[in-house]
Amino acid sequence: MQVFLISAVAIAINEVGDKTQLLAIVLAARFKRPWAILTAIGVATLVNHAVAGTVGVLLRHMLRPDLLRVCLGISFLVAAAWALKPDRLDQAPKAIGNARAFAVTLVSFFIAEIGDKTQLATVMLAARYPSLLAVVAGTTTGMLLANVPAVFLGHVASDRIPFKAVRIVAAVVFAALGAVTLIG
């Protein structure tokens, strides 16, 4: 139970203000399907963190720290460029079905979580504690604790979100993370 609580609290705190929390707000504002979005976030996080916990221990032994740092730095820079590309999220919100909102959220959230600080925290927690199940359950719970309010905020504030500014801020954050990661 202690490992579960440590994992949940660590991830919930790390997720506040994170790019995936911003993504949750944007998706909720765009699709207005909060329950489908929250379910997809839970599934995407569970799968992503299970993989992170399992693979993280192996990567720690297989990759030199400098090579891992370069790979992560480059991935952040690619994400920065991608964040600047306008997409359909800049359009007015439109009604879609729960299945489409679930699918878009599942894929988007899973990809956004790759290389994210919460995913890296999951890797570290899984390397530190022997119970992979407790770590993954805790990190998934932590993500949901942080994103439930974000989804409902995004659902309510959909007309007030400046999507162009969000893209620019996200690109700046990704670029800064990439630069800091590459510099060390």
Side-chain angles (χ1 to χ4, degrees), residues 59-173:
L59 285 177
R60 182 172 49 99
H61 295 292
M62 292 172 41
L63 295 179
R64 296 184 330 261
D66 57 332
L67 179 59
L68 183 59
R69 180 178 50 79
V70 169
C71 290
L72 288 173
I74 290 170
S75 71
F76 281 127
L77 294 175
V78 169
W82 190 6
L84 289 173
K85 180 185 175 288
D87 58 24
R88 301 173 84 193
L89 290 176
D90 286 346
Q91 298 171 357
K94 68 177 183 179
I96 63 166
N98 283 329
R100 181 158 179 238
F102 176 87
V104 169
T105 303
L106 181 73
V107 171
S108 300
F109 209 86
F110 183 84
I111 290 170
E113 188 63 13
I114 295 172
D116 192 65
K117 66 183 177 183
T118 52
Q119 185 189 45
L120 297 177
T122 301
V123 170
M124 291 183 289
L125 289 164
R128 167 69 176 87
Y129 296 106
S131 176
L132 180 60
L133 180 61
V135 168
V136 172
T139 59
T140 302
T141 300
M143 288 291 282
L144 289 172
L145 287 172
N147 283 301
V148 165
V151 166
F152 284 105
L153 170 69
H155 180 68
V156 170
S158 63
D159 296 331
R160 296 178 188 94
I161 296 175
F163 290 106
K164 184 175 181 177
V166 168
R167 275 198 337 268
I168 292 168
V169 168
V172 169
V173 169

Side-chain angles (χ1 to χ4, degrees), residues 7-93:
S7 298
V9 170
I11 296 304
I13 291 169
N14 271 310
E15 181 65 7
V16 174
D18 192 65
K19 71 180 188 307
T20 48
Q21 188 179 48
L22 179 61
L23 177 62
I25 292 169
V26 170
L27 290 168
R30 174 75 176 131
F31 297 129
K32 298 183 182 284
R33 299 285 184 191
W35 295 109
I37 290 166
L38 286 172
T39 303
I41 288 171
V43 171
T45 300
L46 180 62
V47 172
N48 189 292
H49 287 195
V51 170
T54 303
V55 175
V57 175
L58 297 173
L59 285 177
R60 182 172 49 99
H61 295 292
M62 292 172 41
L63 295 179
R64 296 184 330 261
D66 57 332
L67 179 59
L68 183 59
R69 180 178 50 79
V70 169
C71 290
L72 288 173
I74 290 170
S75 71
F76 281 127
L77 294 175
V78 169
W82 190 6
L84 289 173
K85 180 185 175 288
D87 58 24
R88 301 173 84 193
L89 290 176
D90 286 346
Q91 298 171 357

